[in-house]
Amino acid sequence: MDILELIKQNENAKLDFKREWYWEATTSKQDIQKKKLELYKDLISMTNGNIHYIGQPTYLIIGVKEATPNEIHHVDFDVTTLQQEIIQNVNNYATPLIQDLTITKHTLDGKDIYVIEIPPHPFPIILKQDLKGLEKKGTLLIRAGEGTVVVDTADYDTRKAFEEAVEKFYGEEKEVGRRIEAKTYIENVNNTGVMNFS
């Protein structure tokens, strides 16, 4: 990940900028809970991305405002302290689970920013319980550009098309991996002289 290159880009289904963190130290407990649910919704929808971004990592960058060019702003809140809490809590709503999430701090021009990164996910993530007041259990959250699209069980065609695209991408990726492994195995055997397939 090249943070400077990411900051130069426009927001998309897998890249989002936030001027500041979702809440502050002075935010009320009730409002913090609402903001946390918004964060989990953003992370799940971005991890899914959309049909054009399958197989790409997710980046949520805190401390950058989308502009021309994008602007860097200092973030006082230490987001890295929340990594384990975010992983645990977002997975209360995600099935299958988001396996890996990292938060890194970067200092640019004397300003602290934070990057939440999630590796490509090989399965569509569905809500396993209601995101209270936001979305219902069984919903697939995907992104259209920088906005979230709700695909519930009634929108069968969209959901099916997305799931098939994910399955196709990772099926082709596995097949390429298998061919590489087979080629490497044959080359290794040939080099040792133990067995020859020619």
Side-chain angles (χ1 to χ4, degrees):
M1 169 191 61
D2 185 330
I3 184 66
L4 293 175
E5 285 303 314
L6 282 175
I7 290 172
K8 290 177 186 175
Q9 296 179 34
N10 294 324
E11 290 183 334
N12 59 53
K14 289 281 192 170
L15 174 64
D16 201 4
F17 300 122
K18 298 288 181 189
R19 161 70 178 80
E20 54 197 21
W21 184 239
Y22 287 75
W23 63 87
E24 300 173 348
T26 56
T27 306
S28 71
K29 287 185 179 179
Q30 185 177 359
D31 285 341
I32 285 177
Q33 189 53 38
K34 289 178 185 175
K35 296 292 186 182
K36 284 183 177 181
L37 294 178
E38 289 175 16
L39 169 63
Y40 306 150
K41 178 179 177 179
D42 286 347
L43 290 175
I44 291 171
S45 64
M46 288 181 67
T47 302
N48 282 330
N50 66 37
I51 209 163
H52 305 292
Y53 289 85
I54 293 167
Q56 295 187 25
T58 295
Y59 297 103
L60 176 57
I61 303 181
I62 314 300
V64 174
K65 178 182 177 183
E66 188 175 33
T68 308
N70 293 332
E71 300 171 1
I72 299 171
H73 294 265
H74 180 73
V75 178
D76 288 323
F77 198 102
D78 186 358
V79 182
T80 57
T81 61
L82 301 174
Q83 181 167 319
Q84 290 308 313
E85 177 188 339
I86 291 171
I87 292 171
Q88 181 179 345
N89 289 341
V90 76
N91 280 328
N92 288 334
Y93 299 95
T95 182
L97 302 181
I98 295 174
Q99 297 293 335
D100 195 14
L101 176 154
T102 57
I103 303 176
T104 53
K105 176 180 174 181
H106 303 264
T107 303
L108 303 173
D109 299 328
K111 299 172 183 175
D112 294 339
I113 67 170
Y114 296 86
V115 178
I116 299 178
E117 179 179 1
I118 301 173
H121 204 275
F123 304 102
I125 297 172
I126 310 295
L127 293 183
K128 66 181 176 186
Q129 65 169 305
D130 290 359
L131 262 171
K132 301 172 188 67
L134 295 175
E135 308 302 343
K136 294 184 177 180
K137 175 182 176 179
T139 300
L140 171 68
L141 302 173
I142 60 176
R143 302 247 302 176
E146 52 195 88
T148 301
V149 176
V150 176
V151 183
D152 60 26
T153 49
D155 192 352
Y156 178 78
D157 290 339
T158 305
R159 184 168 173 165
K160 186 169 186 292
F162 181 78
E163 290 173 348
E164 285 176 350
V166 171
E167 190 174 312
K168 182 173 185 283
F169 176 86
Y170 283 98
E172 288 173 356
E173 189 178 66
K174 284 178 188 171
E175 183 55 38
V176 169
R178 281 194 291 266
R179 287 199 298 269
I180 291 170
E181 286 173 9
K183 182 175 183 292
T184 303
Y185 171 77
I186 291 170
E187 287 172 351
N188 287 341
V189 170
N190 285 340
N191 288 339
T192 61
V194 174
M195 189 179 296
N196 195 314
F197 290 87
S198 57

